[in-house]
Amino acid sequence: MDSLSIGYPIDLHAHSLRSDGALPPADLVTRATARSVRILALSDHDTLAGVAEAVAAGAELGVRVIAATELNTESEWGDAHVLGYFIDPADAALEERLRWLRTKRARRIELMVERLNQLGYAISLERVLEIAQGGALGRPHLAEALLEKGYVPSYEGAFDTILAKSSPAYVARVGLTPLEAVELVRTHGGVPSLAHPGTVVGLEALLPKMVAAGLAGIEAYYGEHSPEMTERCLTLARAHDLVPTGGSDFHGRGEHGVDLGAVFVPPETIEMLESRREPA
Ligand code: AMP
Ligand code: ZN
Ligand code: FE
Ligand code: FE
């Protein structure tokens, strides 16, 4: 229990079973409490389906849950993932766009299952869907399916081998461009921040374009960042007047990401992010 209670109070990046995390939203909030997190953004990929459950659990446990989503884009800019904060789970037009993105996720995973089968890995779409339990589909669900069949030695190992971008089983994501992701969040009253900027190819060139589209933050504090990477992000934040944000990217699957509250996020971050909301 001791090691569970050493987290920092703010975590602005976490996933539940509603996308590719392992824990139901309420259990995620319970774990956040045990880790002494008091403000948690639930940032499931392309869905807000977990927000109501997480908010209810947070009300019981004294955790403020911020409604968020993470929009993954894959393009010549590498992986540019956009976190959108303070969005409304009751926004029907937004939900329609997110549903469209989830359809694309599902199609891509179906195609990857077909390719895996052609390559001799006998995993079924039915099993992958069971593992996902209705969550927005992603490679983590394929990794679980490959692991339980013994095709990979570990969950993480799947991403370096059979599910890697260089693998014949890999199917690229189609969906939004980085600028469209920023615009989608802004159109629906949210505040966009660039997640784990280290996965972007050509960050210094892309960032001004994203800022012009409405980007408000940059995830400077992240488990996999070296001190140099954090400093680089803080410098970019100052140059472009962006709020430095941060979070664990906790998924509860394998060792990827870090535990809830494991990344320090300055207390003034929430107020700074809130000040970037545009009046309705
Ligand atoms: P996808 O969006 O379907 O391509 O999958 C991306 C997700 O896979 C991320 O959100 C992570 O949860 C997970 N992921 C990516 N790389 C790794 C890795 N090396 N080890 C474990 N999980 C990973
Ligand atoms: Zn994920
Ligand atoms: Fe991401
Ligand atoms: Fe994430």
Side-chain angles (χ1 to χ4, degrees), residues 83-128:
L83 292 157
Y85 295 110
F86 312 120
I87 44 185
D88 178 5
D91 181 335
L94 173 60
E95 175 53 23
E96 195 177 312
R97 297 289 285 150
L98 295 178
R99 193 181 315 122
W100 175 77
L101 287 167
R102 294 197 299 272
T103 307
K104 296 221 168 262
R105 280 184 168 271
R107 186 66 193 131
R108 172 195 184 220
I109 294 303
E110 277 171 30
L111 290 170
M112 284 190 71
V113 168
E114 281 173 23
R115 292 208 184 171
L116 286 165
N117 291 166
Q118 285 159 9
L119 292 163
Y121 302 107
I123 66 165
S124 70
L125 184 60
E126 288 67 32
R127 183 60 195 140
V128 172

Side-chain angles (χ1 to χ4, degrees), residues 77-81 165 194-202 222 224-225 229:
W77 301 103
D79 273 285
H81 297 182
K165 285 197 179 181
L194 177 63
H196 44 71
T199 60
V200 172
V201 175
Y222 191 72
E224 285 169 23
H225 281 181
M229 185 58 191

Side-chain angles (χ1 to χ4, degrees), residues 13 15 19-21 43-45 70 72 81 105 138 140 155 249-251 256:
H13 191 161
H15 299 273
S19 64
D20 54 12
S43 58
D44 275 318
H45 304 282
E70 182 178 11
N72 291 13
H81 297 182
R105 280 184 168 271
Y155 171 81
D249 208 359
F250 179 76
H251 282 76
H256 186 63

